[in-house]
Amino acid sequence: MKKLFTSVLMGLAVLSSTACKHPGKEAETLTEAAPENKDEISKDVFTDNYGEKIEVTINHTKNTATVHLEGKTYDLKKSDALPEYTASNEEYQYSDIKGNITLLKKNVDMVLFHAKRDPKGSGSTKMASY
């Protein structure tokens, strides 16, 4: 009787361990993927005459610019009222006008960075092809 009881318990243990697996649950979690970032983003690094570098990341989808200069980060919003690409916040203004890259501190009219875009290496020259 003890042998029968022990073998029944062992059989139930094996059955319950295999019956608890739900392959449908695992399939559900695999199909949930993180949404892809579909923002149109461009990154550029510019160097001025003194060797200082500025890194500019422009999100064309959200109309924002993030500027990194000397360990500081400036988050700016695109200004449609100003010419070409200009972005600003309350204190700072970034502009890329005719290849002149400028970061300006507005309240004191101080230029923090100024460089000219290299026409050969910029890749911004667009030509029509027919």
mmCIF file of all heavy atoms in Angstrom, residues 5-24:
data_model
loop_
_atom_site.group_PDB
_atom_site.id
_atom_site.type_symbol
_atom_site.label_atom_id
_atom_site.label_comp_id
_atom_site.label_asym_id
_atom_site.label_seq_id
_atom_site.Cartn_x
_atom_site.Cartn_y
_atom_site.Cartn_z
ATOM 1 N N PHE A 5 0.984 4.194 -2.823
ATOM 2 C CA PHE A 5 0.771 5.596 -2.436
ATOM 3 C C PHE A 5 1.967 6.462 -2.866
ATOM 4 O O PHE A 5 1.797 7.549 -3.404
ATOM 5 C CB PHE A 5 0.554 5.677 -0.911
ATOM 6 C CG PHE A 5 0.279 7.071 -0.443
ATOM 7 C CD1 PHE A 5 -0.920 7.700 -0.752
ATOM 8 C CD2 PHE A 5 1.214 7.768 0.320
ATOM 9 C CE1 PHE A 5 -1.172 8.975 -0.317
ATOM 10 C CE2 PHE A 5 0.970 9.046 0.757
ATOM 11 C CZ PHE A 5 -0.225 9.658 0.439
ATOM 12 N N THR A 6 3.192 5.969 -2.679
ATOM 13 C CA THR A 6 4.391 6.704 -3.057
ATOM 14 C C THR A 6 4.468 6.871 -4.569
ATOM 15 O O THR A 6 4.786 7.957 -5.071
ATOM 16 C CB THR A 6 5.637 5.965 -2.551
ATOM 17 O OG1 THR A 6 5.512 5.738 -1.157
ATOM 18 C CG2 THR A 6 6.902 6.769 -2.812
ATOM 19 N N SER A 7 4.152 5.829 -5.326
ATOM 20 C CA SER A 7 4.214 5.925 -6.787
ATOM 21 C C SER A 7 3.126 6.850 -7.332
ATOM 22 O O SER A 7 3.344 7.568 -8.307
ATOM 23 C CB SER A 7 4.137 4.530 -7.419
ATOM 24 O OG SER A 7 2.904 3.920 -7.101
ATOM 25 N N VAL A 8 1.968 6.895 -6.698
ATOM 26 C CA VAL A 8 0.899 7.805 -7.122
ATOM 27 C C VAL A 8 1.326 9.250 -6.855
ATOM 28 O O VAL A 8 1.123 10.143 -7.685
ATOM 29 C CB VAL A 8 -0.430 7.459 -6.411
ATOM 30 C CG1 VAL A 8 -1.472 8.554 -6.617
ATOM 31 C CG2 VAL A 8 -0.977 6.141 -6.903
ATOM 32 N N LEU A 9 1.934 9.497 -5.689
ATOM 33 C CA LEU A 9 2.417 10.845 -5.379
ATOM 34 C C LEU A 9 3.497 11.294 -6.359
ATOM 35 O O LEU A 9 3.498 12.449 -6.799
ATOM 36 C CB LEU A 9 2.954 10.906 -3.949
ATOM 37 C CG LEU A 9 1.923 11.045 -2.842
ATOM 38 C CD1 LEU A 9 2.603 11.028 -1.484
ATOM 39 C CD2 LEU A 9 1.139 12.319 -3.002
ATOM 40 N N MET A 10 4.410 10.383 -6.695
ATOM 41 C CA MET A 10 5.462 10.721 -7.651
ATOM 42 C C MET A 10 4.866 11.016 -9.027
ATOM 43 O O MET A 10 5.277 11.955 -9.709
ATOM 44 C CB MET A 10 6.479 9.575 -7.760
ATOM 45 C CG MET A 10 7.294 9.371 -6.503
ATOM 46 S SD MET A 10 8.361 10.755 -6.214
ATOM 47 C CE MET A 10 9.749 10.247 -7.162
ATOM 48 N N GLY A 11 3.897 10.244 -9.425
ATOM 49 C CA GLY A 11 3.242 10.455 -10.722
ATOM 50 C C GLY A 11 2.523 11.791 -10.758
ATOM 51 O O GLY A 11 2.572 12.522 -11.757
ATOM 52 N N LEU A 12 1.846 12.149 -9.676
ATOM 53 C CA LEU A 12 1.160 13.445 -9.601
ATOM 54 C C LEU A 12 2.159 14.603 -9.639
ATOM 55 O O LEU A 12 1.894 15.641 -10.247
ATOM 56 C CB LEU A 12 0.309 13.521 -8.340
ATOM 57 C CG LEU A 12 -1.005 12.733 -8.367
ATOM 58 C CD1 LEU A 12 -1.678 12.785 -6.995
ATOM 59 C CD2 LEU A 12 -1.935 13.271 -9.421
ATOM 60 N N ALA A 13 3.286 14.429 -8.970
ATOM 61 C CA ALA A 13 4.301 15.482 -8.956
ATOM 62 C C ALA A 13 4.845 15.723 -10.363
ATOM 63 O O ALA A 13 5.023 16.871 -10.797
ATOM 64 C CB ALA A 13 5.432 15.121 -8.006
ATOM 65 N N VAL A 14 5.125 14.654 -11.096
ATOM 66 C CA VAL A 14 5.632 14.778 -12.463
ATOM 67 C C VAL A 14 4.575 15.403 -13.365
ATOM 68 O O VAL A 14 4.862 16.303 -14.170
ATOM 69 C CB VAL A 14 6.077 13.396 -13.002
ATOM 70 C CG1 VAL A 14 6.364 13.453 -14.493
ATOM 71 C CG2 VAL A 14 7.281 12.893 -12.236
ATOM 72 N N LEU A 15 3.342 14.947 -13.217
ATOM 73 C CA LEU A 15 2.257 15.472 -14.038
ATOM 74 C C LEU A 15 2.015 16.964 -13.766
ATOM 75 O O LEU A 15 1.827 17.756 -14.694
ATOM 76 C CB LEU A 15 0.975 14.699 -13.743
ATOM 77 C CG LEU A 15 0.408 13.892 -14.894
ATOM 78 C CD1 LEU A 15 -0.603 12.903 -14.401
ATOM 79 C CD2 LEU A 15 -0.101 14.715 -16.006
ATOM 80 N N SER A 16 2.024 17.346 -12.511
ATOM 81 C CA SER A 16 1.748 18.748 -12.186
ATOM 82 C C SER A 16 2.890 19.674 -12.636
ATOM 83 O O SER A 16 2.653 20.810 -13.019
ATOM 84 C CB SER A 16 1.498 18.912 -10.688
ATOM 85 O OG SER A 16 2.670 18.610 -9.965
ATOM 86 N N SER A 17 4.112 19.190 -12.615
ATOM 87 C CA SER A 17 5.222 20.042 -13.042
ATOM 88 C C SER A 17 5.205 20.264 -14.557
ATOM 89 O O SER A 17 5.562 21.330 -15.040
ATOM 90 C CB SER A 17 6.560 19.457 -12.603
ATOM 91 O OG SER A 17 6.809 18.259 -13.305
ATOM 92 N N THR A 18 4.767 19.294 -15.330
ATOM 93 C CA THR A 18 4.700 19.475 -16.781
ATOM 94 C C THR A 18 3.413 20.165 -17.206
ATOM 95 O O THR A 18 3.385 20.845 -18.229
ATOM 96 C CB THR A 18 4.823 18.135 -17.515
ATOM 97 O OG1 THR A 18 3.780 17.270 -17.073
ATOM 98 C CG2 THR A 18 6.173 17.520 -17.283
ATOM 99 N N ALA A 19 2.358 20.049 -16.448
ATOM 100 C CA ALA A 19 1.079 20.639 -16.818
ATOM 101 C C ALA A 19 1.047 22.145 -16.551
ATOM 102 O O ALA A 19 0.235 22.851 -17.116
ATOM 103 C CB ALA A 19 -0.045 19.953 -16.052
ATOM 104 N N CYS A 20 1.913 22.672 -15.731
ATOM 105 C CA CYS A 20 1.886 24.089 -15.363
ATOM 106 C C CYS A 20 2.543 24.998 -16.400
ATOM 107 O O CYS A 20 2.471 26.207 -16.280
ATOM 108 C CB CYS A 20 2.564 24.303 -14.014
ATOM 109 S SG CYS A 20 1.595 23.637 -12.658
ATOM 110 N N LYS A 21 3.167 24.434 -17.382
ATOM 111 C CA LYS A 21 3.819 25.267 -18.387
ATOM 112 C C LYS A 21 2.797 25.695 -19.429
ATOM 113 O O LYS A 21 2.118 24.876 -20.018
ATOM 114 C CB LYS A 21 4.964 24.505 -19.048
ATOM 115 C CG LYS A 21 6.089 24.224 -18.088
ATOM 116 C CD LYS A 21 7.222 23.536 -18.766
ATOM 117 C CE LYS A 21 8.312 23.251 -17.752
ATOM 118 N NZ LYS A 21 9.400 22.496 -18.331
ATOM 119 N N HIS A 22 2.713 27.011 -19.653
ATOM 120 C CA HIS A 22 1.774 27.567 -20.617
ATOM 121 C C HIS A 22 2.551 28.219 -21.755
ATOM 122 O O HIS A 22 3.026 29.334 -21.620
ATOM 123 C CB HIS A 22 0.876 28.626 -19.963
ATOM 124 C CG HIS A 22 0.050 28.098 -18.849
ATOM 125 N ND1 HIS A 22 -1.064 27.323 -19.071
ATOM 126 C CD2 HIS A 22 0.170 28.223 -17.507
ATOM 127 C CE1 HIS A 22 -1.600 27.000 -17.910
ATOM 128 N NE2 HIS A 22 -0.861 27.540 -16.942
ATOM 129 N N PRO A 23 2.680 27.546 -22.883
ATOM 130 C CA PRO A 23 3.441 28.131 -23.978
ATOM 131 C C PRO A 23 2.781 29.405 -24.526
ATOM 132 O O PRO A 23 3.427 30.253 -25.069
ATOM 133 C CB PRO A 23 3.496 27.034 -25.034
ATOM 134 C CG PRO A 23 2.423 26.082 -24.681
ATOM 135 C CD PRO A 23 2.182 26.221 -23.212
ATOM 136 N N GLY A 24 1.481 29.560 -24.351
ATOM 137 C CA GLY A 24 0.799 30.755 -24.822
ATOM 138 C C GLY A 24 1.263 31.999 -24.091
ATOM 139 O O GLY A 24 1.385 33.068 -24.667
#
